[in-house]
Amino acid sequence: MEENTENLENIPQEDGELLEKTPISGLYENWFLEYASYVILERAVPATEDGLKPVQRRIMHALNEMDDGRFNKVANVIGSTMQYHPHGDASINDAIVNLGQKELLFDTQGNWGDVRTGDSAAAPRYIEVRLSKFAKEVAFNGDTTVWQLSYDGRKREPITLPVKFPLLLAQGVEGIAVGLSTKIMPHNFCELIEASINILKDKKVEIYPDFQTGGYVDVTNYNDGERGGKIRVRARLEEEDKKMLVVKDIPYGTTTTSIIDSIIKANDSGKIKVKKVVDNTAADVEIQIHLAPGVSPDITMDALYAFTDCEVSISPNACVIVGDKPHFLGVTEILRYNTEKTVDLLRQELEIKKANLLEKILYGSLEKIFIENRIYRDIEEAETFEDVIKRIDKGLEPFKDQFYREITEDDIVNLTEIRIKRISKYDGFKADELMKKWQQELAETEDNLANLVRFAIDYFKDLLKRFGKGRERKTVLRAFQQISANVVAANNQKLYVNRADGFIGYGLKKDEYVMDCSDIDDIIVFRKDGVCTVTKIQDKVFVGKDIIYVSVFVKGDERKVYNMVYLEGKSGVSYIKRFQVTAVTRDREYDLTQGTPRSKVTYFTANDNGEAEIITINLTAQCKAKVKQFDFNYADLLIKNRNANGNILTKYPVRKITLKQAGGSTLGGVDIWYDPTIGRLNRDERGLFLGNFDSDDTVLVIYKEGSYELTNFDLTNHYEPREVLLVAKFDPDRTVTAVYYDAGTKAHFIKRFQVETTTVDKKFGFISDARGSKLLLTTLEKRPRLELSSQESTKKSVETEEIVAEEAVDVRGWKAIGNKLTADKVTKIHWLEPIPVDDGEEEEETSEPDNGSTPAEKISIPNVRQIGASANGKSQLGMFE
C-alpha cells in the first residue's frame, strides 16, 4: 500500500503539468467542517441581531419587496424568496407557515392550520399573506440595512434586518445543526418591552416563557434559558363535576391529538381509569375526560400530569449566532443585547434624520437667498455655464457663514435647475414657515440624540401602546408540586400472596387476595423470621417463606408504625419494639431481630396512623415466673429505628400473645399547611398554617362563586387559586361572615352563619343564585369590621362608613339572605382590623407559634379550588402463638 502511495506522489495531467497529491482524509475533514459551518450559520441557528434564520430573513425581505398593502399568495412569496434562498419550495413554505402561525410578523388569510390541534395549513396556492403593521414598523429601514449580493449575484439581500425589537425572544426558535442545537422559548410581547425599558433604566429584569397554547408553566429551574435548565409545562385541567375533567389549555409542543393519544395509552396500560375521551375543540380547546365510576377526579388529575402529555418537560438551550460564531447565552443577556442594538439603530435613524433635515434647511436657505436676492438675474449676461456657476457663487458669498457646511458646486447646480415658474410663484412666508418646521424638527432630533435612552424608552412605550393590546400573558406562572407516580397511579392490579411458600404477585389468582395495587408499586414484606424486604410488584416473585404481612410500600410515610414482639433465638428472651420503615434499598433484606439463629416474630401489627394497642402476654405454665399473665400498652413504648433491638418484654417463655384493646394514635394530629401559590396542602411548612388535623377533621373551602365545601385533608387535594376566597380548618362553632352582591336586587348584603352541613366533597351555595351574583368578602374572624364607601344617585360625593358585622346582622342559618348594607351605589368595600376579643372570651388558635405565617382564617386568598381524595390501601393485623 505504501508503494502505491509513493508512486502517486506526482500525477501527470493532459497538458503535461504535474498535479500535487492531496490526502483524502484532509479533503473529508475540510469538506465536513465547511458543511457543518454552513448548516450552523446558514440554516439552523438564528442571528442575534434580528432573531431570524436566513430563510426567515429572506422571506421577510421578499415580502417587503412585494409589499403593496394587499395580500399575496404564499405560492408567489415562495417564488420571490427563491431568488434569494438556494433551496426548495417546501422548506420555504414550512418557514412561512411557521412564522404565520406565530401571529406577529404576518397578517394571514385562509387556512393556516392550528398549532393546538396539529392541523396543517392549506396548500400555498390557497392561502395569502402580507407583512403586519408591526413588522413594517420594527423590521425594515433601507438606510440602516447592511446589504450583500444574493447567491447568484443578481440581487441584493440584507445581511441582517435592522429589527428594533427583541424578536428572537418573542417568537422563540428551535433548530438542529451539525453537533449543535438551539431551543429558545417564546416570551410575552408586553413583558419583553417592559423588560427592555427596565434595562434602559438600569433595573433588574427577569423574563419567563409564554406560549400561545396557554396552560401553566413552572420556571423554578429555567436557568435564564441556558443549557442545563428545565421548565415543566402543564395543561389547564378543570373539574367539570365528579365524573368529568376538561382540558382547557394544552402544553407547549403538544397537540390535542397527542394529548388524547397519551390519555388513551395511559388508560390502556391501567395507569388511569377513564370511560371515554371526547374532543370538542373549536375556537377554544376542550377535551372532555369522562371518568370511570368510583374514580377520584383529584387523583386522576394528578395521574394525567404524571402519565400523559398533560405535563411535559422542556430543556431550553439558548444558542445564537454572534459575529459569525455560535454562542450560548442566557435570555436576559440576549434581551440586553437586543435592547442595546435597538438603541443603536434608533441613534442611526436619528443621525440620518438630522443629516436630512440639515440638508433640507441648507437647500431651503440657498433657494430663499437665490430668489429673494435675485441672484438669478446676475446670470443673464453669462456666456458659459462655468461663468453662471461663478456668478451665483459670488452672489452667495455674503451668506456662506450661516451654513453648517461649505457650499459645493453641486449645490449651485441645483439652484440653476429651479424653474422660472417656481421663481415667479415663490412665497417667502410659506418658505419661512417650512423652515421653522424643519428647525423645530432638527431641534427635537438633536434633543433626542442628546437624550437617547429617554427616546428609546418612549419608543418602546409607543410600541406597547400601539401593538400590545391582545398580547397579554396566556401561560400562568405557577410552581408545581412533584407528583409521586406510585401515589396517583390507578389500581390496575390485585396483589396476592402465598404465605407458606413465600410468593407474592398479581398472577397468583388462586392464592390469598391482599389488596388492589398498581403495576408500578413497591411491595413491603415481613416474614416470621424477622426479615423485612421491599420489592417491585411482579406477576410472581419469591420473597421468602412464612410471610406474616404484605402491603404496598409508601416511601417516606412517617405515619405508618409497626408494632412487633420477637423471640431472640440464643437467649430465649422476648423483645418488644415499635418502628417505622420510611426508606429502604429495593430487594435488600433487613433483619428486624438481633440476627441470631431461631429468632422469630411472635406478634406483629401494621398501623397506618401510629395506633398503639394493649396486648396480653401469657407465659408457659412451667416457667418460674410468679405472674404468668400480664398486659403491655404499646403507648408506653417509644418509636425507634427499625434496627433498634427493642425493650425486653419478658425473659420467660411465652405461650401466646393476644390483642386486648385497640388503641388510638400516639403520633397526635397532623400539622397541615396550605400553599396558595400552587393551591395544594402540604406538611412541609410552606404557605399558610391551617392547624393540627386529626383523622375526623376537615378543611373548609369558600369559593368566589358564593359556595362552601368541606373536604378531607389529603395532600392530593387540588384548590384552584383563581376560584377560592378562603381555606381554613373547619370548626363548626366558628361563624362565617360574608359580604356579597345580589344581581337580582342589585344590592349588597352582609350575612353571618355557621356551617351546619357535614357532607364532605359537596358544594353548598349560600348567596343569591341570580345570574351575576358574586361573593366579595368572607372571613372567620370573631368580630370583623368593614369599611364601606357608597354614593347616592343624586349626589357626586362619596360617603364612607365603618360597619361592625355583629351589629349589622345576627347569626342565622346558612340559607338566610342576610341584611342589606346600603341602597346606594357601592364604590369600595374592604375589611378593617377586627375588634379585639374581650379578655373573658376564649381566643381561638389561628396560627402556629413558630413559623410566623399568617393564619388562613385572617386573610382572603384570591383564587383557589378543591381537589381531594385519599390513597387506596388497607392495613393488616397479625397475631401469632
Side-chain angles (χ1 to χ4, degrees):
M1 192 69 181
E2 290 181 0
E3 291 182 0
N4 292 338
T5 304
E6 290 175 1
N7 293 334
L8 294 175
E9 286 184 359
N10 294 308
I11 303 174
Q13 290 184 329
E14 291 181 0
D15 57 4
E17 294 183 4
L18 296 179
L19 179 66
E20 186 177 349
K21 178 186 68 176
T22 303
I24 293 177
S25 60
L27 287 174
Y28 174 79
E29 180 181 355
N30 293 336
W31 289 342
F32 183 78
L33 287 176
E34 289 175 6
Y35 169 73
S37 177
Y38 167 75
V39 173
I40 291 171
L41 299 177
E42 295 295 327
R43 294 182 70 174
V45 183
T48 318
E49 288 81 2
D50 57 9
L52 298 171
K53 296 179 182 181
V55 63
Q56 296 172 329
R57 187 178 304 113
R58 288 160 179 161
I59 291 168
M60 295 283 291
H61 175 59
L63 271 171
N64 190 47
E65 292 288 299
M66 301 169 64
D67 185 53
D68 58 1
R70 296 182 296 177
F71 282 98
N72 299 284
K73 290 286 186 182
V74 168
N76 292 338
V77 179
I78 292 172
S80 297
T81 305
M82 291 179 74
Q83 298 178 85
Y84 310 99
H85 194 64
H87 293 281
D89 59 336
S91 62
I92 298 174
N93 179 63
D94 290 344
I96 292 175
V97 171
N98 181 267
L99 285 173
Q101 288 179 339
K102 292 177 179 178
E103 301 176 350
L104 183 61
L105 297 176
F106 294 167
D107 292 335
T108 58
Q109 194 164 271
N111 177 16
W112 280 70
D114 193 335
V115 294
R116 304 167 309 158
T117 62
D119 294 335
S120 58
R125 62 185 179 276
Y126 297 127
I127 56 178
E128 297 177 326
V129 66
R130 69 183 177 192
L131 290 172
S132 66
K133 291 181 179 179
F134 172 75
K136 294 178 184 178
E137 175 73 27
V138 304
F140 301 99
N141 188 327
D143 295 330
T144 57
T145 302
V146 180
W147 303 90
Q148 66 182 0
L149 291 176
S150 61
Y151 68 94
D152 61 359
R154 290 188 173 91
K155 300 278 186 177
R156 68 171 190 165
E157 63 173 335
I159 296 176
T160 57
L161 291 175
V163 177
K164 302 185 292 295
F165 177 78
L167 186 61
L168 174 61
L169 299 179
Q171 293 196 129
V173 69
E174 185 171 354
I176 300 175
V178 180
L180 189 69
S181 66
T182 183
K183 194 165 192 175
I184 300 175
M185 299 293 102
H187 295 72
N188 182 259
F189 181 93
C190 302
E191 291 176 5
L192 286 175
I193 293 178
E194 291 168 352
S196 293
I197 292 172
N198 287 333
I199 286 175
L200 294 174
K201 291 180 178 180
D202 291 327
K203 295 182 179 179
K204 184 180 178 181
V205 298
E206 288 184 348
I207 54 174
Y208 298 113
D210 184 31
F211 308 115
Q212 286 178 287
T213 51
Y216 304 121
V217 59
D218 185 345
V219 295
T220 306
N221 300 315
Y222 185 44
N223 193 33
D224 203 35
E226 294 189 68
R227 287 184 298 179
K230 185 177 73 171
I231 59 173
R232 295 161 61 198
V233 190
R234 282 184 178 177
R236 179 162 65 92
L237 294 175
E238 293 184 359
E239 183 181 329
E240 188 76 12
D241 52 44
K242 299 300 180 183
K243 298 180 180 179
M244 184 171 71
L245 298 175
V246 180
V247 179
K248 293 291 189 179
D249 292 335
I250 61 174
Y252 175 70
T254 67
T255 64
T256 53
T257 302
S258 68
I259 292 284
I260 293 171
D261 289 345
S262 67
I263 293 172
I264 294 173
K265 183 178 178 181
N267 180 71
D268 292 343
S269 62
K271 301 293 189 301
I272 59 175
K273 291 182 179 179
V274 300
K275 189 189 300 181
K276 63 178 178 179
V277 182
V278 180
D279 188 3
N280 289 334
T281 300
D284 299 314
V285 171
E286 183 180 332
I287 302 173
Q288 295 179 346
I289 305 171
H290 297 262
L291 306 181
V295 174
S296 165
D298 306 312
I299 291 182
T300 303
M301 192 177 291
D302 278 346
L304 287 169
Y305 289 138
F307 301 116
T308 74
D309 285 349
C310 287
E311 178 181 323
V312 295
S313 179
I314 303 173
S315 298
N317 180 24
C319 178
V320 291
I321 302 300
V322 182
D324 290 334
K325 291 183 180 179
H327 287 75
F328 293 94
L329 305 176
V331 293
T332 305
E333 191 174 352
I334 294 174
L335 178 63
R336 193 175 300 277
Y337 180 90
N338 289 151
T339 304
E340 292 171 355
K341 183 69 176 177
T342 299
V343 173
D344 184 60
L345 288 170
L346 292 172
R347 178 191 58 77
Q348 293 180 45
E349 290 180 357
L350 287 172
E351 288 177 346
I352 292 170
K353 183 178 180 181
K354 177 183 175 182
N356 291 337
L357 286 169
L358 286 171
E359 288 299 305
K360 284 182 180 180
I361 294 170
L362 182 142
Y363 185 74
S365 300
L366 284 175
E367 186 180 78
K368 180 180 177 67
I369 294 168
F370 180 73
I371 296 175
E372 290 186 346
N373 291 276
R374 303 193 177 190
I375 296 175
Y376 57 87
R377 288 189 173 182
D378 297 340
I379 65 175
E380 292 176 354
E381 299 177 359
E383 296 180 357
T384 64
F385 188 72
E386 290 78 7
D387 191 20
V388 170
I389 298 298
K390 288 180 181 179
R391 286 174 181 267
I392 295 175
D393 186 51
K394 184 178 179 181
L396 294 174
E397 193 67 36
F399 307 97
K400 286 185 176 180
D401 292 341
Q402 71 186 49
F403 301 119
Y404 83 98
R405 64 170 175 81
E406 291 184 3
I407 304 303
T408 64
E409 185 176 332
D410 290 338
D411 297 326
I412 298 173
V413 170
N414 288 335
L415 291 176
T416 64
E417 295 175 354
I418 300 175
R419 295 182 178 181
I420 297 298
K421 185 177 180 180
R422 179 178 174 83
I423 294 174
S424 63
K425 291 187 176 182
Y426 184 76
D427 188 334
F429 177 77
K430 287 184 178 180
D432 289 341
E433 289 298 313
L434 187 59
M435 293 284 285
K436 285 180 182 178
K437 179 184 176 183
W438 288 340
Q439 291 285 359
Q440 289 174 355
E441 289 182 12
L442 178 62
E444 183 181 346
T445 303
E446 289 177 336
D447 179 65
N448 289 334
L449 276 169
N451 300 278
L452 193 56
V453 172
R454 182 201 66 194
F455 178 73
I457 290 174
D458 291 340
Y459 170 80
F460 279 120
K461 288 181 178 178
D462 181 62
L463 282 183
L464 186 59
K465 180 180 179 181
R466 292 167 58 194
F467 304 108
K469 187 176 180 181
R471 302 186 187 276
E472 295 78 12
R473 170 168 282 277
K474 295 181 179 179
T475 308
V476 179
L477 298 175
R478 179 177 294 181
F480 300 159
Q481 190 174 29
Q482 190 66 39
I483 296 174
S484 175
N486 288 26
V487 174
V488 300
N491 291 329
N492 57 349
Q493 297 290 353
K494 297 183 182 296
L495 176 62
Y496 299 91
V497 60
N498 184 324
R499 297 182 185 272
D501 296 338
F503 288 95
I504 64 168
Y506 48 76
L508 309 175
K509 301 186 184 300
K510 295 182 179 180
D511 291 301
E512 178 187 346
Y513 166 76
V514 179
M515 62 192 304
D516 289 345
C517 66
S518 167
D519 57 7
I520 63 172
D521 280 334
D522 288 324
I523 306 300
I524 188 168
V525 176
F526 292 86
R527 301 201 306 255
K528 194 168 185 178
D529 59 2
V531 171
C532 163
T533 185
V534 173
T535 187
K536 192 76 174 176
I537 182 69
Q538 298 177 44
D539 181 69
K540 180 179 180 181
V541 58
F542 179 75
V543 292
K545 295 183 178 182
D546 297 324
I547 298 172
I548 59 175
Y549 176 82
V550 59
S551 181
V552 172
F553 175 68
V554 180
K555 184 178 180 181
D557 186 359
E558 296 180 352
R559 303 289 297 179
K560 190 155 191 173
V561 177
Y562 302 97
N563 299 339
M564 188 175 86
V565 177
Y566 70 91
L567 175 68
E568 200 275 317
K570 185 176 181 180
S571 62
V573 175
S574 292
Y575 288 83
I576 188 169
K577 61 189 290 187
R578 299 183 74 200
F579 61 94
Q580 297 167 325
V581 181
T582 56
V584 295
T585 301
R586 190 180 290 162
D587 295 324
R588 177 181 171 184
E589 292 190 343
Y590 296 87
D591 199 331
L592 305 176
T593 69
Q594 297 176 30
T596 55
R598 296 188 301 279
S599 295
K600 64 178 180 178
V601 177
T602 54
Y603 179 86
F604 183 89
T605 59
N607 306 278
D608 290 332
N609 200 33
E611 290 83 0
E613 66 270 25
I614 299 175
I615 59 176
T616 298
I617 298 93
N618 293 280
L619 304 180
T620 59
Q622 296 80 14
C623 71
K624 298 180 180 179
K626 295 180 179 179
V627 178
K628 292 184 172 54
Q629 179 178 323
F630 60 93
D631 297 337
F632 185 88
N633 191 346
Y634 266 103
D636 298 332
L637 199 61
L638 295 177
I639 301 172
K640 296 184 179 180
N641 187 279
R642 64 170 180 260
N643 296 324
N645 290 336
N647 295 357
I648 295 177
L649 178 64
T650 179
K651 296 181 179 179
Y652 299 105
V654 175
R655 182 171 62 86
K656 69 175 181 177
I657 301 175
T658 56
L659 173 68
K660 180 178 181 180
Q661 180 181 327
S665 174
T666 60
L667 300 178
V670 181
D671 288 340
I672 297 292
W673 282 260
Y674 169 69
D675 188 341
T677 304
I678 61 176
R680 301 293 290 266
L681 303 178
N682 67 88
R683 301 178 189 172
D684 306 324
E685 302 185 12
R686 289 184 287 105
L688 308 171
F689 179 63
L690 299 187
N692 187 272
F693 285 72
D694 289 323
S695 57
D696 296 332
D697 288 330
T698 54
V699 177
L700 172 64
V701 187
I702 299 180
Y703 296 91
K704 296 173 75 173
E705 63 184 19
S707 63
Y708 71 82
E709 182 180 27
L710 298 179
T711 75
N712 57 35
F713 55 92
D714 196 283
L715 300 187
T716 59
N717 289 1
H718 293 236
Y719 301 90
E720 178 56 50
R722 295 178 300 177
E723 299 180 5
V724 168
L725 278 180
L726 185 143
V727 176
K729 180 181 177 181
F730 172 59
D731 183 347
D733 296 326
R734 300 193 75 171
T735 300
V736 179
T737 304
V739 178
Y740 69 94
Y741 171 73
D742 181 3
T745 61
K746 296 184 179 180
H748 289 75
F749 288 81
I750 183 171
K751 65 182 293 184
R752 303 179 71 216
F753 65 94
Q754 291 181 340
V755 176
E756 302 165 354
T757 58
T758 57
T759 305
V760 178
D761 293 336
K762 182 179 180 181
K763 290 184 179 181
F764 295 89
F766 60 88
I767 68 171
S768 169
D769 56 2
R771 186 173 182 180
S773 300
K774 55 184 177 180
L775 180 62
L776 303 176
L777 299 173
T778 186
T779 183
L780 294 175
E781 286 291 345
K782 199 160 192 175
R783 306 185 69 185
R785 297 183 304 150
L786 60 89
E787 185 176 84
L788 174 69
S789 299
S790 59
Q791 183 180 13
E792 292 185 25
S793 58
T794 57
K795 297 181 180 179
K796 293 185 177 180
S797 60
V798 176
E799 296 184 0
T800 301
E801 62 176 318
E802 179 184 313
I803 298 175
V804 179
E806 61 184 347
E807 296 175 0
V809 62
D810 294 330
V811 177
R812 299 171 186 166
W814 63 274
K815 293 183 179 180
I817 296 175
N819 292 353
K820 185 181 292 187
L821 277 174
T822 178
D824 301 329
K825 179 183 178 182
V826 175
T827 59
K828 187 177 180 182
I829 185 170
H830 63 91
W831 291 122
L832 298 173
E833 284 293 321
I835 299 173
V837 179
D838 296 338
D839 293 338
E841 295 186 63
E842 185 177 331
E843 185 84 57
E844 296 175 304
E845 288 186 290
T846 57
S847 63
E848 190 192 39
D850 299 326
N851 71 345
S853 62
T854 305
E857 295 86 345
K858 285 195 175 183
I859 70 168
S860 292
I861 306 167
N863 312 328
V864 185
R865 193 187 77 170
Q866 141 76 19
I867 298 175
S870 59
N872 188 8
K874 300 180 181 179
S875 63
Q876 293 171 271
L877 176 66
M879 287 168 280
F880 306 95
E881 295 184 2

